[in-house]
Amino acid sequence: MGGEGSMMAANNSLKNNRNLVAKRKEKKALSGSYANLKLAKFPKATPEQLERIKKKIQSDNRQLRRKQIVIFGIIIVIIVSFIFYFKS
């Protein structure tokens, strides 16, 4: 019956892939203990600080959005001018 060779190749490919996954699990990057690790103490943020950070991020995002719109507009004007220049 036809197709045995292709089925055997598929089975071998699946077997090899399974073996690769097993090797990857053995070599974990973060193996070890965290018992002697000292955690840093960070101060708690006040609501005023959080509000100030929020407003700063919003203003930065607004400025970035304006720059993107201006650059996009310039690019569109250049493309349209090229189209009209080469059309006529």
Side-chain angles (χ1 to χ4, degrees):
M1 186 163 256
E4 290 96 12
S6 62
M7 288 303 295
M8 187 169 60
N11 285 336
N12 285 338
S13 177
L14 289 172
K15 180 181 167 188
N16 290 336
N17 288 342
R18 243 180 280 132
N19 289 338
L20 289 175
V21 170
K23 287 180 186 175
R24 191 171 50 218
K25 285 182 182 176
E26 290 172 3
K27 298 178 184 177
K28 290 187 178 182
L30 296 175
S31 61
S33 174
Y34 293 103
N36 296 328
L37 185 67
K38 292 184 180 179
L39 297 177
K41 301 283 184 182
F42 293 105
K44 297 289 183 185
T46 63
E48 294 84 18
Q49 289 173 330
L50 293 176
E51 190 65 32
R52 192 172 46 228
I53 292 169
K54 179 181 173 183
K55 287 183 181 184
K56 182 178 180 337
I57 290 173
Q58 286 176 345
S59 69
D60 290 347
N61 285 340
R62 267 189 239 111
Q63 289 176 353
L64 179 64
R65 199 174 313 121
R66 284 184 192 134
K67 287 179 186 177
Q68 289 173 341
I69 289 171
V70 168
I71 291 172
F72 182 73
I74 291 170
I75 291 172
I76 292 297
V77 167
I78 291 171
I79 290 173
V80 168
S81 63
F82 274 125
I83 289 172
F84 282 127
Y85 178 74
F86 290 114
K87 188 177 180 183
S88 57

